[in-house]
Protein backbone atom coordinates (compact mmCIF):
# COMPACT_ATOMS: atom_id res chain seq x y z
CA UNK A 1 0.00 0.00 0.00
CA UNK A 2 1.06 3.60 -0.29
CA UNK A 3 3.04 4.89 2.66
CA UNK A 4 0.47 6.02 5.22
CA UNK A 5 3.01 7.08 7.83
CA UNK A 6 4.39 9.88 5.65
CA UNK A 7 1.75 12.30 6.94
CA UNK A 8 3.06 12.08 10.51
CA UNK A 9 6.72 12.01 9.49
CA UNK A 10 6.25 15.16 7.40
CA UNK A 11 5.57 17.14 10.59
CA UNK A 12 9.07 16.38 11.85
CA UNK A 13 12.53 17.38 10.68
CA UNK A 14 13.71 13.94 9.65
CA UNK A 15 11.59 13.25 6.56
CA UNK A 16 14.31 12.69 3.97
CA UNK A 17 13.59 13.68 0.37
CA UNK A 18 15.73 12.52 -2.54
CA UNK A 19 17.73 15.24 -4.27
CA UNK A 20 20.72 15.39 -6.63
CA UNK A 21 21.60 18.80 -5.13
CA UNK A 22 23.56 17.06 -2.37
CA UNK A 23 26.19 14.37 -2.79
CA UNK A 24 24.55 12.29 -0.07
CA UNK A 25 21.31 12.48 -2.07
CA UNK A 26 19.24 13.76 0.87
CA UNK A 27 17.40 16.94 1.75
CA UNK A 28 14.79 17.53 4.45
CA UNK A 29 11.14 18.31 3.75
CA UNK A 30 10.00 21.59 5.28
CA UNK A 31 8.09 20.60 8.45
CA UNK A 32 4.37 21.22 8.21
CA UNK A 33 4.33 21.47 4.41
CA UNK A 34 1.98 19.24 2.37
CA UNK A 35 3.16 15.64 2.30
CA UNK A 36 5.68 14.86 -0.49
CA UNK A 37 5.05 12.11 -3.02
CA UNK A 38 6.03 8.61 -1.96
CA UNK A 39 8.48 8.46 -4.87
CA UNK A 40 10.22 11.58 -3.52
CA UNK A 41 11.23 9.93 -0.24
CA UNK A 42 14.94 9.25 -0.06
CA UNK A 43 16.34 5.76 -0.05
CA UNK A 44 16.99 4.05 3.26
CA UNK A 45 20.42 3.08 1.98
CA UNK A 46 23.24 5.60 2.46
CA UNK A 47 24.42 7.16 -0.80
CA UNK A 48 27.92 5.67 -0.56
CA UNK A 49 26.39 2.22 -0.19
CA UNK A 50 24.15 2.90 -3.16
CA UNK A 51 27.05 3.94 -5.39
CA UNK A 52 29.09 0.88 -4.42
CA UNK A 53 26.29 -1.28 -5.86
CA UNK A 54 25.21 0.96 -8.75
CA UNK A 55 28.70 1.33 -10.22
CA UNK A 56 28.65 -2.35 -11.16
CA UNK A 57 25.94 -1.64 -13.71
CA UNK A 58 27.27 1.60 -15.24
CA UNK A 59 30.24 2.11 -17.58
CA UNK A 60 33.35 3.05 -15.59
CA UNK A 61 31.18 3.19 -12.46
CA UNK A 62 29.88 6.67 -13.39
CA UNK A 63 26.27 7.45 -12.47
CA UNK A 64 24.49 10.38 -14.17
CA UNK A 65 22.10 12.85 -12.54
CA UNK A 66 20.19 16.01 -13.44
CA UNK A 67 20.42 18.88 -10.95
CA UNK A 68 19.92 22.50 -12.10
CA UNK A 69 22.19 25.25 -10.77
CA UNK A 70 20.03 28.42 -11.07
CA UNK A 71 22.79 30.77 -9.88
CA UNK A 72 25.41 29.15 -12.13
CA UNK A 73 23.57 28.31 -15.34
CA UNK A 74 26.86 27.96 -17.21
CA UNK A 75 27.46 24.73 -15.28
CA UNK A 76 24.33 23.12 -16.71
CA UNK A 77 22.08 20.51 -15.13
CA UNK A 78 23.90 17.35 -16.17
CA UNK A 79 26.29 15.87 -13.61
CA UNK A 80 28.31 12.67 -13.25
CA UNK A 81 28.89 10.99 -9.90
CA UNK A 82 31.27 8.21 -8.93
CA UNK A 83 32.51 6.44 -5.82
CA UNK A 84 36.20 7.34 -5.86
CA UNK A 85 37.11 4.96 -3.07
CA UNK A 86 35.85 3.16 0.01
CA UNK A 87 37.36 1.26 2.93
CA UNK A 88 35.61 -1.28 5.16
CA UNK A 89 37.32 -2.36 8.38
CA UNK A 90 35.34 -4.53 10.74
CA UNK A 91 32.01 -2.82 10.18
CA UNK A 92 33.51 0.68 10.14
CA UNK A 93 33.72 2.12 6.67
CA UNK A 94 34.52 5.36 4.90
CA UNK A 95 33.74 6.42 1.34
CA UNK A 96 34.71 9.26 -0.98
CA UNK A 97 32.23 10.57 -3.59
CA UNK A 98 33.18 12.77 -6.54
CA UNK A 99 30.99 14.76 -8.93
CA UNK A 100 31.80 16.46 -12.23
CA UNK A 101 29.72 18.83 -14.40
CA UNK A 102 30.98 18.68 -17.99
CA UNK A 103 28.92 21.42 -19.71
CA UNK A 104 31.02 24.44 -18.72
CA UNK A 105 34.26 22.61 -19.51
CA UNK A 106 33.08 21.59 -22.97
CA UNK A 107 31.77 25.10 -23.71
CA UNK A 108 35.02 26.75 -22.52
CA UNK A 109 37.27 24.46 -24.55
CA UNK A 110 35.07 24.87 -27.61
CA UNK A 111 35.31 28.67 -27.31
CA UNK A 112 39.12 28.46 -27.03
CA UNK A 113 39.39 26.28 -30.11
CA UNK A 114 37.03 28.41 -32.20
CA UNK A 115 38.87 31.60 -31.29
CA UNK A 116 42.32 30.19 -32.05
CA UNK A 117 43.89 30.89 -35.44
CA UNK A 118 46.40 28.03 -35.28
CA UNK A 119 46.78 24.79 -33.36
CA UNK A 120 49.83 25.40 -31.21
CA UNK A 121 51.12 24.32 -27.79
CA UNK A 122 49.82 27.48 -26.00
CA UNK A 123 46.32 26.58 -27.18
CA UNK A 124 46.57 23.17 -25.54
CA UNK A 125 47.85 24.77 -22.32
CA UNK A 126 44.98 27.29 -22.26
CA UNK A 127 42.48 24.50 -22.86
CA UNK A 128 44.02 22.38 -20.10
CA UNK A 129 43.63 25.25 -17.59
CA UNK A 130 39.86 24.88 -17.79
CA UNK A 131 40.14 21.48 -16.09
CA UNK A 132 41.35 23.32 -12.98
CA UNK A 133 38.10 25.27 -12.60
CA UNK A 134 36.90 24.21 -9.14
CA UNK A 135 33.27 25.04 -9.94
CA UNK A 136 33.17 21.92 -12.13
CA UNK A 137 33.71 19.59 -9.21
CA UNK A 138 32.20 18.51 -5.91
CA UNK A 139 33.59 16.07 -3.41
CA UNK A 140 32.10 14.41 -0.36
CA UNK A 141 33.39 12.22 2.45
CA UNK A 142 31.12 9.87 4.40
CA UNK A 143 31.84 7.52 7.30
CA UNK A 144 29.71 5.08 9.28
CA UNK A 145 31.03 4.15 12.72
CA UNK A 146 29.33 1.32 14.68
CA UNK A 147 29.55 2.38 18.32
CA UNK A 148 27.71 -0.59 19.84
CA UNK A 149 25.47 -3.39 18.58
CA UNK A 150 22.52 -0.99 18.75
CA UNK A 151 24.15 2.40 18.06
CA UNK A 152 25.87 3.91 15.04
CA UNK A 153 27.29 7.29 14.08
CA UNK A 154 27.11 8.64 10.54
CA UNK A 155 29.40 11.53 9.62
CA UNK A 156 29.52 13.30 6.27
CA UNK A 157 31.02 16.42 4.76
CA UNK A 158 30.82 17.74 1.21
CA UNK A 159 31.98 20.77 -0.73
CA UNK A 160 30.66 22.00 -4.07
CA UNK A 161 33.05 24.16 -6.05
CA UNK A 162 30.41 26.72 -7.01
CA UNK A 163 29.17 27.14 -3.42
CA UNK A 164 30.83 29.12 -0.66
CA UNK A 165 30.09 26.89 2.29
CA UNK A 166 30.89 23.29 3.10
CA UNK A 167 28.03 21.12 4.33
CA UNK A 168 28.67 18.92 7.37
CA UNK A 169 26.27 16.42 8.95
CA UNK A 170 26.29 14.12 11.96
CA UNK A 171 23.63 11.51 12.75
CA UNK A 172 23.54 9.31 15.83
CA UNK A 173 21.07 6.42 15.73
CA UNK A 174 20.30 4.28 18.77
CA UNK A 175 17.87 1.37 18.55
CA UNK A 176 15.84 0.22 21.55
CA UNK A 177 13.58 -2.86 21.61
CA UNK A 178 10.48 -0.80 20.76
CA UNK A 179 11.86 2.64 19.84
CA UNK A 180 14.40 4.40 17.65
CA UNK A 181 16.24 7.46 18.97
CA UNK A 182 17.85 9.77 16.42
CA UNK A 183 20.07 12.79 17.00
CA UNK A 184 20.87 14.85 13.90
CA UNK A 185 22.88 18.01 13.35
CA UNK A 186 23.83 19.80 10.13
CA UNK A 187 25.78 22.95 9.21
CA UNK A 188 23.98 24.01 7.05
CA UNK A 189 20.89 21.84 6.56
CA UNK A 190 19.26 21.63 3.13
CA UNK A 191 15.45 21.82 3.09
CA UNK A 192 13.03 21.51 0.18
CA UNK A 193 9.55 23.03 0.14
CA UNK A 194 6.44 21.52 -1.39
CA UNK A 195 6.89 23.78 -4.44
CA UNK A 196 10.35 22.39 -5.14
CA UNK A 197 12.31 25.36 -3.75
CA UNK A 198 15.46 24.78 -1.72
CA UNK A 199 16.52 26.48 1.50
CA UNK A 200 19.67 26.31 3.58
CA UNK A 201 19.43 26.76 7.35
CA UNK A 202 22.87 27.63 8.82
CA UNK A 203 22.42 25.27 11.76
CA UNK A 204 19.78 22.64 12.40
CA UNK A 205 19.79 20.26 15.38
CA UNK A 206 17.09 17.74 16.25
CA UNK A 207 16.49 14.78 18.54
CA UNK A 208 13.59 12.39 17.95
CA UNK A 209 12.20 9.32 19.63
CA UNK A 210 9.94 7.16 17.46
CA UNK A 211 8.07 4.02 18.46
CA UNK A 212 7.97 0.99 16.24
CA UNK A 213 4.56 0.03 14.85
CA UNK A 214 2.82 -2.31 17.26
CA UNK A 215 0.47 -5.12 16.34
CA UNK A 216 -2.41 -2.89 17.34
CA UNK A 217 -1.38 -0.27 14.76
CA UNK A 218 -0.55 2.42 17.31
CA UNK A 219 2.55 4.56 16.73
CA UNK A 220 3.85 7.71 18.40
CA UNK A 221 6.90 9.94 18.37
CA UNK A 222 8.19 13.10 19.98
CA UNK A 223 11.14 15.39 19.41
CA UNK A 224 12.83 18.72 20.00
CA UNK A 225 14.26 20.77 17.12
CA UNK A 226 16.36 23.89 16.97
CA UNK A 227 17.19 26.17 14.03
CA UNK A 228 19.84 28.88 14.17
CA UNK A 229 20.64 31.54 11.59
CA UNK A 230 18.70 33.13 8.76
CA UNK A 231 17.42 30.68 6.09
CA UNK A 232 18.85 31.27 2.64
CA UNK A 233 17.14 30.38 -0.64
CA UNK A 234 19.59 28.74 -3.03
CA UNK A 235 17.46 28.82 -6.17
CA UNK A 236 15.29 31.96 -6.01
CA UNK A 237 15.30 35.63 -5.06
CA UNK A 238 12.73 37.32 -2.80
CA UNK A 239 11.28 33.91 -2.04
CA UNK A 240 8.73 33.33 0.69
CA UNK A 241 10.53 31.73 3.61
CA UNK A 242 8.59 29.08 5.57
CA UNK A 243 8.31 30.12 9.21
CA UNK A 244 9.21 26.61 10.32
CA UNK A 245 12.77 27.30 9.14
CA UNK A 246 13.26 30.56 11.02
CA UNK A 247 15.38 30.54 14.20
CA UNK A 248 13.77 28.98 17.24
CA UNK A 249 13.25 25.88 19.36
CA UNK A 250 10.24 23.65 18.77
CA UNK A 251 8.91 20.61 20.66
CA UNK A 252 6.61 18.22 18.79
CA UNK A 253 4.53 15.19 19.65
CA UNK A 254 2.53 13.01 17.26
CA UNK A 255 0.55 9.80 17.43
CA UNK A 256 -1.28 7.67 14.88
CA UNK A 257 -3.45 4.58 14.62
CA UNK A 258 -3.22 2.53 11.43
CA UNK A 259 -5.29 -0.37 10.14
CA UNK A 260 -5.45 -2.36 6.90
CA UNK A 261 -7.93 -4.93 5.59
CA UNK A 262 -7.70 -7.12 2.52
CA UNK A 263 -10.83 -7.17 0.36
CA UNK A 264 -9.33 -10.20 -1.36
CA UNK A 265 -5.85 -11.69 -1.71
CA UNK A 266 -4.42 -14.55 -3.73
CA UNK A 267 -1.88 -16.16 -1.43
CA UNK A 268 1.46 -17.36 -2.74
CA UNK A 269 1.61 -21.16 -3.08
CA UNK A 270 4.40 -23.69 -3.41
CA UNK A 271 3.47 -24.15 -7.08
CA UNK A 272 4.11 -20.44 -7.65
CA UNK A 273 7.65 -20.62 -6.31
CA UNK A 274 8.69 -24.05 -7.59
CA UNK A 275 7.81 -25.06 -11.14
CA UNK A 276 8.34 -28.41 -12.84
CA UNK A 277 10.50 -28.55 -15.98
CA UNK A 278 12.00 -31.33 -18.09
CA UNK A 279 15.27 -30.88 -16.20
CA UNK A 280 13.61 -30.99 -12.80
CA UNK A 281 12.30 -28.42 -10.38
CA UNK A 282 13.06 -24.74 -10.89
CA UNK A 283 12.89 -22.13 -8.15
CA UNK A 284 11.15 -19.00 -9.45
CA UNK A 285 10.40 -16.40 -6.77
CA UNK A 286 8.81 -13.06 -7.49
CA UNK A 287 11.06 -10.24 -8.64
CA UNK A 288 9.95 -8.40 -5.49
CA UNK A 289 8.62 -10.23 -2.43
CA UNK A 290 6.32 -7.30 -1.64
CA UNK A 291 4.68 -7.54 -5.04
CA UNK A 292 4.21 -11.30 -5.14
CA UNK A 293 0.49 -11.54 -4.24
CA UNK A 294 -2.39 -10.09 -6.28
CA UNK A 295 -4.85 -8.38 -3.96
CA UNK A 296 -7.17 -5.50 -3.25
CA UNK A 297 -6.99 -3.77 0.11
CA UNK A 298 -8.20 -0.71 1.93
CA UNK A 299 -6.20 0.93 4.68
CA UNK A 300 -6.39 4.00 6.81
CA UNK A 301 -4.55 6.06 9.38
CA UNK A 302 -5.72 8.72 11.79
CA UNK A 303 -3.59 10.72 14.15
CA UNK A 304 -2.79 13.99 15.80
CA UNK A 305 0.12 16.36 16.17
CA UNK A 306 0.98 18.94 18.79
CA UNK A 307 3.80 21.49 18.66
CA UNK A 308 5.04 24.30 20.86
CA UNK A 309 7.54 27.01 19.86
CA UNK A 310 9.78 28.85 22.30
CA UNK A 311 8.66 32.03 20.44
CA UNK A 312 5.41 32.58 18.58
CA UNK A 313 4.59 32.81 14.73
CA UNK A 314 2.11 32.15 11.82
CA UNK A 315 2.10 32.85 8.15
CA UNK A 316 5.13 33.52 6.01
CA UNK A 317 7.90 36.03 5.76
CA UNK A 318 9.57 37.41 2.66
CA UNK A 319 13.31 37.31 3.06
CA UNK A 320 15.84 38.63 0.60
CA UNK A 321 19.62 38.88 0.88
CA UNK A 322 19.44 42.52 2.09
CA UNK A 323 17.14 41.81 5.01
CA UNK A 324 18.67 41.88 8.47
CA UNK A 325 18.28 39.54 11.37
CA UNK A 326 15.82 41.86 13.13
CA UNK A 327 13.18 41.28 10.50
CA UNK A 328 13.63 37.53 10.65
CA UNK A 329 13.22 37.73 14.43
CA UNK A 330 9.98 39.66 13.91
CA UNK A 331 8.71 36.87 11.66
CA UNK A 332 9.62 34.28 14.29
CA UNK A 333 7.71 36.24 16.91
CA UNK A 334 4.59 36.13 14.73
CA UNK A 335 4.66 32.34 14.71
CA UNK A 336 1.89 30.40 16.46
CA UNK A 337 3.26 29.49 19.88
CA UNK A 338 1.11 26.39 20.32
CA UNK A 339 -0.82 24.30 17.80
CA UNK A 340 -2.64 20.97 17.92
CA UNK A 341 -4.29 19.30 14.94
CA UNK A 342 -5.62 16.06 13.50
CA UNK A 343 -4.77 14.35 10.22
CA UNK A 344 -5.92 11.22 8.40
CA UNK A 345 -5.50 9.20 5.23
CA UNK A 346 -7.49 6.51 3.45
CA UNK A 347 -5.88 4.33 0.78
CA UNK A 348 -7.20 1.81 -1.74
CA UNK A 349 -4.77 -0.61 -3.39
CA UNK A 350 -5.36 -2.94 -6.32
CA UNK A 351 -2.72 -5.26 -7.76
CA UNK A 352 -3.03 -7.63 -10.69
CA UNK A 353 -0.26 -10.15 -11.34
CA UNK A 354 2.44 -11.84 -9.27
CA UNK A 355 5.46 -10.12 -10.84
CA UNK A 356 7.10 -13.42 -11.83
CA UNK A 357 6.62 -13.78 -15.58
CA UNK A 358 8.47 -11.83 -18.23
CA UNK A 359 5.48 -9.84 -19.49
CA UNK A 360 2.08 -8.64 -18.31
CA UNK A 361 2.43 -9.86 -14.74
CA UNK A 362 2.16 -6.61 -12.78
CA UNK A 363 -0.36 -3.81 -12.79
CA UNK A 364 -0.81 -1.93 -9.54
CA UNK A 365 -2.74 1.18 -8.55
CA UNK A 366 -2.65 2.97 -5.20
CA UNK A 367 -5.10 5.80 -4.53
CA UNK A 368 -4.75 7.73 -1.26
CA UNK A 369 -6.81 10.60 0.11
CA UNK A 370 -4.93 12.80 2.61
CA UNK A 371 -6.53 15.13 5.13
CA UNK A 372 -3.49 17.09 6.24
CA UNK A 373 -5.12 19.43 8.74
CA UNK A 374 -8.61 18.95 10.14
CA UNK A 375 -8.67 22.44 11.66
CA UNK A 376 -7.65 24.19 8.43
CA UNK A 377 -10.25 22.27 6.42
CA UNK A 378 -12.93 23.08 9.00
CA UNK A 379 -12.01 26.77 8.83
CA UNK A 380 -12.18 26.70 5.05
CA UNK A 381 -15.60 25.04 5.08
CA UNK A 382 -16.83 27.66 7.54
CA UNK A 383 -15.57 30.46 5.29
CA UNK A 384 -17.34 28.96 2.27
CA UNK A 385 -20.62 28.48 4.13
CA UNK A 386 -20.50 32.01 5.53
CA UNK A 387 -19.77 33.35 2.01
CA UNK A 388 -16.60 35.13 3.05
CA UNK A 389 -14.84 36.60 0.02
CA UNK A 390 -11.28 36.12 1.20
CA UNK A 391 -10.19 32.55 0.66
CA UNK A 392 -7.32 30.98 2.51
CA UNK A 393 -4.05 30.36 0.71
CA UNK A 394 -3.09 27.67 3.26
CA UNK A 395 -2.01 24.58 1.34
CA UNK A 396 -3.11 22.34 4.20
CA UNK A 397 -6.74 23.45 3.88
CA UNK A 398 -7.31 21.34 0.74
CA UNK A 399 -7.51 17.54 0.73
CA UNK A 400 -4.93 15.82 -1.48
CA UNK A 401 -5.25 12.75 -3.68
CA UNK A 402 -2.11 10.72 -4.34
CA UNK A 403 -2.17 8.27 -7.25
CA UNK A 404 0.56 5.70 -7.87
CA UNK A 405 0.47 3.61 -11.05
CA UNK A 406 2.93 0.76 -11.66
CA UNK A 407 3.16 -1.35 -14.81
CA UNK A 408 5.58 -4.11 -15.71
CA UNK A 409 7.58 -3.42 -18.89
CA UNK A 410 9.60 -6.63 -19.21
CA UNK A 411 11.01 -9.02 -16.63
CA UNK A 412 12.16 -7.14 -13.52
CA UNK A 413 11.66 -3.72 -15.17
CA UNK A 414 8.51 -1.73 -14.41
CA UNK A 415 7.38 1.84 -14.98
CA UNK A 416 5.91 3.95 -12.19
CA UNK A 417 4.07 7.29 -12.10
CA UNK A 418 3.42 9.16 -8.85
CA UNK A 419 1.03 12.10 -8.97
CA UNK A 420 -0.64 14.40 -6.46
CA UNK A 421 -3.85 16.39 -6.94
CA UNK A 422 -5.36 19.10 -4.78
CA UNK A 423 -9.13 19.12 -4.20
CA UNK A 424 -9.51 22.87 -3.88
CA UNK A 425 -13.16 23.97 -3.67
CA UNK A 426 -12.39 27.68 -3.67
CA UNK A 427 -14.32 30.01 -6.01
CA UNK A 428 -12.87 30.09 -9.51
CA UNK A 429 -11.18 26.69 -9.18
CA UNK A 430 -12.96 23.71 -10.69
CA UNK A 431 -11.90 20.10 -10.39
CA UNK A 432 -8.67 18.54 -9.07
CA UNK A 433 -5.48 20.53 -9.64
CA UNK A 434 -2.26 18.66 -10.44
CA UNK A 435 0.40 19.68 -7.89
CA UNK A 436 3.28 17.27 -8.41
CA UNK A 437 4.40 14.46 -10.68
CA UNK A 438 7.34 12.04 -10.72
CA UNK A 439 8.17 9.45 -13.38
CA UNK A 440 10.45 6.53 -12.60
CA UNK A 441 11.84 3.43 -14.29
CA UNK A 442 12.57 0.63 -11.85
CA UNK A 443 14.73 -2.49 -12.07
CA UNK A 444 13.95 -4.98 -9.31
CA UNK A 445 16.86 -6.89 -7.82
CA UNK A 446 15.52 -10.32 -6.97
CA UNK A 447 18.62 -11.17 -4.95
CA UNK A 448 17.77 -8.42 -2.43
CA UNK A 449 14.22 -9.64 -1.87
CA UNK A 450 12.65 -6.20 -2.19
CA UNK A 451 15.36 -3.96 -3.64
CA UNK A 452 15.42 -2.02 -6.87
CA UNK A 453 17.40 0.44 -8.92
CA UNK A 454 15.27 3.53 -9.53
CA UNK A 455 15.85 6.17 -12.19
CA UNK A 456 13.40 9.01 -11.48
CA UNK A 457 12.66 12.42 -12.94
CA UNK A 458 10.58 15.27 -11.51
CA UNK A 459 9.24 17.71 -14.17
CA UNK A 460 8.37 20.25 -11.50
CA UNK A 461 11.85 20.31 -9.94
CA UNK A 462 13.55 19.53 -13.27
CA UNK A 463 15.69 17.02 -11.40
CA UNK A 464 16.46 13.36 -11.76
CA UNK A 465 18.85 10.76 -10.39
CA UNK A 466 19.51 7.04 -10.03
CA UNK A 467 19.10 5.41 -6.62
CA UNK A 468 19.14 2.03 -4.93
CA UNK A 469 16.03 1.60 -2.77
CA UNK A 470 15.10 -1.17 -0.35
CA UNK A 471 11.76 -2.35 1.12
CA UNK A 472 9.63 0.62 0.16
CA UNK A 473 6.14 -0.82 -0.05
Amino acid sequence: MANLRTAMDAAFWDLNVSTPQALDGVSKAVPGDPVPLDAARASRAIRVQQLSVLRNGFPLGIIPSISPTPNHKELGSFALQSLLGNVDIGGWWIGLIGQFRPKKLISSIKAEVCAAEEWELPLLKDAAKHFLDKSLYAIGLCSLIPLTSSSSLLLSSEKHGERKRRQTKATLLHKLPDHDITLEAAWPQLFIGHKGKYWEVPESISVDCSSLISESGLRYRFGIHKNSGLPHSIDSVNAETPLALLPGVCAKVAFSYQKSKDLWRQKETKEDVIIETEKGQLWRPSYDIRLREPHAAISGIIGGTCMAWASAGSGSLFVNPTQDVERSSLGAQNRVRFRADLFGSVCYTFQHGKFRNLFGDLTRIDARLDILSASDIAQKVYNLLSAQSNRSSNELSSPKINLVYQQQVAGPVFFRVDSKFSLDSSPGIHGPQLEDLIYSLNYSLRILGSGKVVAWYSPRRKEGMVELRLFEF
Side-chain angles (χ1 to χ4, degrees):
M1 69 187 69
N3 197 332
L4 292 174
R5 294 170 301 186
T6 307
M8 184 168 73
D9 294 340
F12 283 77
W13 259 254
D14 65 342
L15 180 59
N16 292 334
V17 177
S18 293
T19 177
Q21 296 287 347
L23 293 185
D24 64 358
V26 175
S27 62
K28 299 291 186 181
V30 173
D33 265 13
V35 180
L37 292 174
D38 285 349
R41 294 201 67 165
S43 172
R44 297 181 181 181
I46 301 171
R47 188 60 177 168
V48 171
Q49 296 174 332
Q50 296 179 45
L51 295 178
S52 65
V53 175
L54 294 175
R55 65 179 178 178
N56 297 322
F58 286 84
L60 303 178
I62 298 175
I63 294 91
S65 65
I66 301 175
S67 55
T69 52
N71 299 326
H72 302 273
K73 294 184 178 180
E74 70 279 2
L75 295 175
S77 299
F78 185 69
L80 300 171
Q81 281 189 1
S82 180
L83 182 61
L84 303 179
N86 64 307
V87 178
D88 188 347
I89 305 175
W92 171 82
W93 57 262
I94 185 170
L96 185 66
I97 303 175
Q99 179 175 278
F100 170 64
R101 294 182 180 271
K103 180 182 177 181
K104 183 179 179 180
L105 177 64
I106 296 173
S107 300
S108 300
I109 294 178
K110 181 180 178 181
E112 288 277 2
V113 173
C114 293
E117 298 180 356
E118 297 181 1
W119 285 76
E120 297 180 351
L121 183 59
L123 174 62
L124 298 179
K125 291 182 178 180
D126 292 338
K129 290 180 180 179
H130 293 291
F131 283 90
L132 302 179
D133 186 351
K134 66 178 183 179
S135 66
L136 303 176
Y137 306 99
I139 191 167
L141 188 66
C142 182
S143 179
L144 180 64
I145 306 172
L147 303 178
T148 66
S149 60
S150 59
S151 301
S152 61
L153 177 64
L154 177 64
L155 302 173
S156 65
S157 181
E158 62 183 67
K159 180 67 172 68
H160 295 253
E162 78 280 7
R163 302 178 189 174
K164 295 181 180 180
R165 292 183 290 183
R166 177 186 300 274
Q167 184 183 44
T168 303
K169 295 182 181 179
T171 303
L172 176 63
L173 176 63
H174 181 66
K175 295 185 177 181
L176 299 175
D178 299 314
H179 298 82
D180 288 336
I181 298 177
T182 305
L183 172 63
E184 290 185 286
W187 305 270
Q189 180 65 271
L190 183 66
F191 286 89
I192 181 171
H194 69 283
K195 295 182 179 181
K197 301 299 182 181
Y198 286 96
W199 300 89
E200 279 188 349
V201 174
E203 180 184 76
S204 179
I205 301 175
S206 65
V207 57
D208 289 309
C209 179
S210 176
S211 70
L212 303 181
I213 297 181
S214 62
E215 294 182 358
S216 64
L218 180 65
R219 180 174 180 246
Y220 58 88
R221 66 183 305 173
F222 54 89
I224 299 176
H225 314 279
K226 178 179 181 292
N227 287 338
S228 300
L230 185 64
H232 168 66
S233 175
I234 68 172
D235 55 7
S236 58
V237 180
N238 294 329
E240 188 177 2
T241 303
L243 287 182
L245 302 185
L246 291 177
V249 178
C250 179
K252 292 189 176 183
V253 178
F255 70 91
S256 66
Y257 178 75
Q258 176 180 335
K259 275 297 182 181
S260 176
K261 181 175 179 58
D262 289 340
L263 302 179
W264 61 266
R265 181 179 291 269
Q266 186 177 343
K267 292 289 187 178
E268 184 182 56
T269 63
K270 182 178 179 180
E271 290 73 19
D272 292 328
V273 181
I274 301 176
I275 60 175
E276 299 289 342
T277 65
E278 296 178 356
K279 297 182 180 181
Q281 293 182 335
L282 177 65
W283 183 57
R284 189 191 63 172
S286 174
Y287 293 113
D288 191 312
I289 61 174
R290 301 207 174 187
L291 296 173
R292 61 187 174 183
E293 295 180 347
H295 67 281
I298 186 169
S299 55
I301 186 173
I302 187 171
T305 60
C306 179
M307 69 175 183
W309 282 92
S311 59
S314 78
S316 297
L317 177 71
F318 282 90
V319 177
N320 59 48
T322 62
Q323 281 183 311
D324 54 21
V325 178
E326 292 182 0
R327 187 171 179 184
S328 69
S329 300
L330 178 61
Q333 291 172 3
N334 291 330
R335 207 159 30 202
V336 172
R337 181 180 294 273
F338 179 85
R339 178 182 175 91
D341 211 339
L342 297 175
F343 65 87
S345 297
V346 178
C347 178
Y348 173 77
T349 300
F350 171 81
Q351 178 179 321
H352 168 75
K354 304 176 181 179
F355 202 33
R356 302 178 188 275
N357 300 323
L358 291 177
F359 300 99
D361 200 24
L362 175 65
T363 299
R364 178 176 170 127
I365 298 175
D366 293 85
R368 190 181 79 222
L369 173 65
D370 292 332
I371 304 297
L372 305 178
S373 171
S375 62
D376 287 332
I377 290 180
Q379 180 64 45
K380 187 171 185 177
V381 172
Y382 173 78
N383 292 341
L384 291 174
L385 294 178
S386 59
Q388 293 188 15
S389 58
N390 57 326
R391 63 183 183 91
S392 172
S393 59
N394 191 343
E395 294 286 347
L396 302 181
S397 63
S398 300
K400 312 292 182 182
I401 292 182
N402 288 265
L403 298 177
V404 181
Y405 174 73
Q406 300 175 78
Q407 178 64 54
Q408 183 184 24
V409 178
V413 180
F414 65 94
F415 180 70
R416 171 169 169 161
V417 180
D418 288 62
S419 57
K420 180 170 65 175
F421 296 86
S422 175
L423 301 180
D424 194 342
S425 58
S426 301
I429 299 179
H430 305 284
Q433 305 294 312
L434 179 63
E435 287 194 347
D436 204 355
L437 183 68
I438 292 181
Y439 302 102
S440 63
L441 192 64
N442 304 260
Y443 185 94
S444 295
L445 302 174
R446 180 181 280 169
I447 193 173
L448 296 180
S450 185
K452 56 188 177 181
V453 177
V454 181
W456 61 266
Y457 178 75
S458 170
R460 183 174 192 175
R461 292 157 53 184
K462 298 180 180 179
E463 293 179 344
M465 63 186 299
V466 181
E467 291 184 286
L468 174 67
R469 297 185 177 180
L470 305 172
F471 295 97
E472 289 199 326
F473 296 97

